Amino acid sequence: MQDVSWQLKINTVMTLLNDIWTARGVRTNDEKMQQRFFQVTNAMWQTHQASLASDDREVLVNKLNAIETELFGFALEGIGIGLSQQDLVAPSHQNRVESFVGDASAAYQAMVYLGVGLMLGKGRLPIEKYLKASDPLKVWPVIDGYGFQHGMFHWQDFLDATANPPEQFSGYTRHIFDQGLGRSIWMVNCADVTHISQTIAAFPTTRQADLWGGVGYACASIGGAERSTLEALGRAAGSYRFALARAAACAAKFRQLLGNAAGYTTMASQVLSGMASATPDDIINQAPTQLPTNIADIDPEIWQFYRVYLVVDDLSAVANAS
């Protein structure tokens, strides 16, 4: 069953993005970056539509396999959007999202659950049941996606008016919401460094590390930015520059674990860190070893490492195989 409220208001995702950029007064003369945003969003849109039409796992896996490998992670998000939408409007005896992810790797599951957060965030739907879950693999990516969609579709409130995270978030979950919000800042500002810097500068300093980190993850994961843009981004971040680099390193590691590694993620973390020979592992290995809880007040500088905690078993497997 399809919910028409989720349909694009016109037929192309590019029109939707252009509407946002026009409303925000952002320059849109970077055709390469615009095309990249379209490719990423279109991959999500295709699998979203497929998962609305069918919840059969074999059908959906075949659709995923038809998507360009480099866009695989974004296509998984689309699956999460569609299946969670079906679970919402036409509940069945078995949760479709959980049935689809099964015993897949943590990185794989995290991308699907990001899609769940995207679905909930667009309509500002209740998220409380995910906040009560004991499994961070479900909780944290959902919150991340929820924050991203608030920035994409409710940017007047959450970016321009710098609204606080919804009141149901506290402690560590507020950091993760802002990380998702930060990812949206890269897209709604069309990779325009001046607009990105101005958007984040309007927020309280206590939130800026999370937001800059979200930008860093998005720019590395999505790709398409020129080296000169990344260099300008690093300079604009000032004291938050390393938050960008660490987030970019996490993007590179996630791609590696999903089997769709892309050289631009490593390049982004190197440029943003100012360390030409640094590998993503060099940066990620600086992550704390103690797992934060959802309610703990933690150092805001370490928010982006929640992804590392989620894939700790995968990372161990990679290390043991090397």
Side-chain angles (χ1 to χ4, degrees), residues 13 33-48 63-79 108 111-112 187 218 220-224 254-255 258-262 264-265:
V13 292
M33 201 69 244
Q34 290 183 65
Q35 181 62 24
R36 185 58 184 166
F37 285 139
F38 170 75
Q39 292 170 342
V40 166
T41 312
N42 191 51
M44 294 172 61
W45 179 248
Q46 288 186 53
T47 51
H48 164 233
K63 181 63 178 178
L64 282 169
N65 290 338
I67 299 290
E68 183 181 348
T69 302
E70 197 267 332
L71 299 171
F72 181 72
F74 304 107
L76 285 175
E77 291 185 57
I79 295 288
Y108 189 105
M111 299 307 293
V112 175
M187 289 194 71
S221 180
I222 292 171
F254 247 59
R255 278 189 167 279
L258 286 171
N260 65 339
Y264 57 73
T265 55

Side-chain angles (χ1 to χ4, degrees), residues 38-186:
F38 170 75
Q39 292 170 342
V40 166
T41 312
N42 191 51
M44 294 172 61
W45 179 248
Q46 288 186 53
T47 51
H48 164 233
Q49 292 297 292
S51 55
L52 286 179
S54 173
D55 58 9
D56 183 272
R57 195 176 195 283
E58 183 176 355
V59 170
L60 296 180
V61 169
N62 287 337
K63 181 63 178 178
L64 282 169
N65 290 338
I67 299 290
E68 183 181 348
T69 302
E70 197 267 332
L71 299 171
F72 181 72
F74 304 107
L76 285 175
E77 291 185 57
I79 295 288
I81 295 170
L83 292 182
S84 60
Q85 191 173 341
Q86 285 210 61
D87 282 332
L88 178 68
V89 300
S92 68
H93 68 282
Q94 188 171 24
N95 182 281
R96 294 176 177 87
V97 175
E98 293 183 2
S99 178
F100 176 79
V101 298
D103 59 355
S105 71
Y108 189 105
Q109 292 189 49
M111 299 307 293
V112 175
Y113 280 110
L114 275 177
V116 176
L118 295 178
M119 190 280 293
L120 295 172
K122 182 177 183 295
R124 300 195 194 184
L125 299 174
I127 194 175
E128 282 77 7
K129 75 172 184 177
Y130 290 98
L131 301 182
K132 296 177 182 178
S134 60
D135 186 357
L137 180 56
K138 298 178 183 178
V139 176
W140 293 346
V142 171
I143 297 169
D144 185 323
Y146 198 73
F148 176 83
Q149 284 296 68
H150 275 64
M152 284 293 296
F153 288 93
H154 312 297
W155 52 266
Q156 295 94 334
D157 294 333
F158 287 89
L159 297 183
D160 286 359
T162 66
N164 287 319
E167 61 182 11
Q168 59 264 47
F169 297 114
S170 62
Y172 193 49
T173 62
R174 293 176 67 88
H175 292 291
I176 296 178
F177 179 92
D178 275 350
Q179 179 259 334
L181 200 65
R183 288 195 299 120
S184 77
I185 290 174
W186 178 250

Side-chain angles (χ1 to χ4, degrees), residues 218-268:
C219 77
S221 180
I222 292 171
E226 299 289 346
R227 187 182 188 92
S228 59
T229 298
L230 295 173
E231 291 171 344
L233 190 66
R235 292 192 297 270
S239 62
Y240 300 112
R241 179 168 184 160
F242 200 60
L244 289 167
R246 290 185 298 185
C250 284
K253 178 56 69 174
F254 247 59
R255 278 189 167 279
Q256 176 189 337
L257 295 175
L258 286 171
N260 65 339
Y264 57 73
T265 55
T266 299
M267 185 270 286

